[in-house]
Structure formats: structure tokens, C-alpha cells
Amino acid sequence: FFDINRHTHRNNYGNMSTSKSINLVAGKALRETGAALKKQGGVEFFTRHRPVMQFYGAKPFTTNDTFIAPSASVIGKVTNWDQSSIWYGAVVRADSEHSIEVGFTSNVQDGAVVTTLPESATLETGFPPKTYIGHYVSVGAGSVLVSCRIDDLVWIGDKCTILEGSLVESNTILEPGSVVLPFTRIPSGQKWGGNPAKYISDLSAEEKGSIKGKAEKIFEQAWEHLREFLPVGNTYLHLEDLEREGVEAIQG
């Protein structure tokens, strides 16, 4: 016999699991339809990149002295602490249930990617697969960090890869191009490098001091960029060009 209660329960479950997707698809369809109609009317569009983007209700947290470059992307459950900076073309993407944290006076340099494992993923260690970047950490240009923990005072060279479950302890330097394999622990006070990354030497007192100095220097540069960057972005440049051409323009 047909069980109407079970059938209704199954339908409700399905509706709940797909409601977000339906809203996204419907919203996109409406936006594209409106854009198509306006284009047919001869309206010229200029676009605005959103450096900070909410995802499924999770909005990145930033402070007044956090610098996020206009071409960077900070998405979802991300916390950017004071004096942190996300540079040009960098992506900090927390679009799963796992968070990302960028600590005080830490930086994610040009073209680097910081993300997490998918929502359903788990780590062998039992810890949640979030990404944590401590204080005074410099993440070099083009580097990739996935669901790892970086303690305070770490200098990550350009184009490094640090994979899930890895732990990089404080006062550590990674040479450019290093690849830290999953679930690797790098002890405090050491320099590592290579693919896969291996121990090279202990850090001198001077090398340890340079880690904080580098992070502070990058913040000084970020502060200069922050003062130059208008809160409304730089789309006004394209808009002014269109207006000089006598073209009606609308922000898309």
C-alpha cells in the first residue's frame, strides 16, 4: 500500500537538501535574464570584482586595518585579524563548513591559495580540517595551503605547497618550492626545504628574528596600499571611460 506519511517525509527531506541549490539557480537565471534584456536595449556594462564574498550565509570577518587587494578573493568562513593582508590575485576560500583564520600581521602574498578540504572530508588525526595561520606568518607568492596548521612566526617561501593535516611549528622557515606532504610535522626552530620537504638546519637567532621583521615590513607595504585603495574599488575608472565615450553605463 502507498504510505503517504513516508512519501511526504521523503519529499520534505529532498526539498530541504536542494533548497539552497534552487535559490542559487533561480537567482542566477533572473540576473542573466535582466542582463540580457538590458544588453538588447544598448546599455553598456562594467563589472565589479568582489574581494570579500559571503557564501551560504558565512561572511568573512575583517578589521579596519586588514588589507584585501581589489583583485584578491576572500570567500566564506574566513577570519582576518588586525594588520593581516591578502595580496593581489590571492584566494582565501572557505566555502565548506571548515574555517580559515589569518592571524595578526600575517600575509597571504600574490597569487597564493589558502583553502580547506571538502565539507565531508575528515583527517586521520581526528582534528577538523580547517586551515589556521598564526601571527607574523608570511605565505609566499604562489603558495598553496590546504587544511593545515601554521603556528606563529613562520616564513613560507614562494610557491610552497602545504597539504592537509600538516603542522608547521613556530620559528620555522620553508625554502621556496617546498612541498610538505600530508600529516607532516615540522618542529620549531628549523629550516626545511625540497620536494618532499626535509630538514635542512636549525635556525640561528638572526634568522628567527628575520621572520617577524619580514611580516612587519609586508604590513607596512600593505598599509600604503590600503590608504591608496578607495573603499568603492576602482570600477569608477572604467565608468569614467564609458562616460567620456558618451555611452550609458550600469554596474553589473
Side-chain angles (χ1 to χ4, degrees), residues 39-173:
K39 185 175 181 180
Q40 288 296 322
V43 177
E44 181 75 21
F45 281 86
F46 69 100
T47 60
R48 183 183 69 177
H49 172 71
R50 289 187 292 167
V52 178
M53 191 179 88
Q54 179 174 306
F55 189 85
Y56 277 153
K59 183 177 181 180
F61 171 83
T62 62
T63 65
N64 290 334
D65 55 0
T66 297
F67 170 65
I68 299 177
S71 60
S73 297
V74 179
I75 303 166
K77 194 183 295 186
V78 179
T79 300
N80 297 276
W81 290 110
D82 302 78
Q83 301 186 9
S84 60
S85 56
I86 312 298
W87 287 82
Y88 299 91
V91 176
V92 182
R93 180 166 60 89
D95 55 356
S96 68
E97 289 297 316
H98 312 304
S99 63
I100 296 174
E101 186 168 337
V102 181
F104 177 81
T105 318
S106 290
N107 56 82
V108 179
Q109 296 167 38
D110 306 72
V113 176
V114 180
T115 187
T116 67
L117 292 175
E119 179 178 349
S120 59
T122 57
L123 295 178
E124 296 175 4
T125 58
F127 292 105
K130 62 183 181 179
T131 298
Y132 174 82
I133 298 173
H135 310 312
Y136 299 103
V137 174
S138 297
V139 179
S143 294
V144 177
L145 278 63
V146 182
S147 291
C148 56
R149 180 181 177 89
I150 313 297
D151 284 342
D152 301 343
L153 297 163
V154 174
W155 182 342
I156 299 170
D158 294 346
K159 297 184 178 179
C160 288
T161 301
I162 305 177
L163 297 176
E164 66 271 13
S166 297
L167 168 62
V168 181
E169 296 184 355
S170 61
N171 290 299
T172 300
I173 293 178

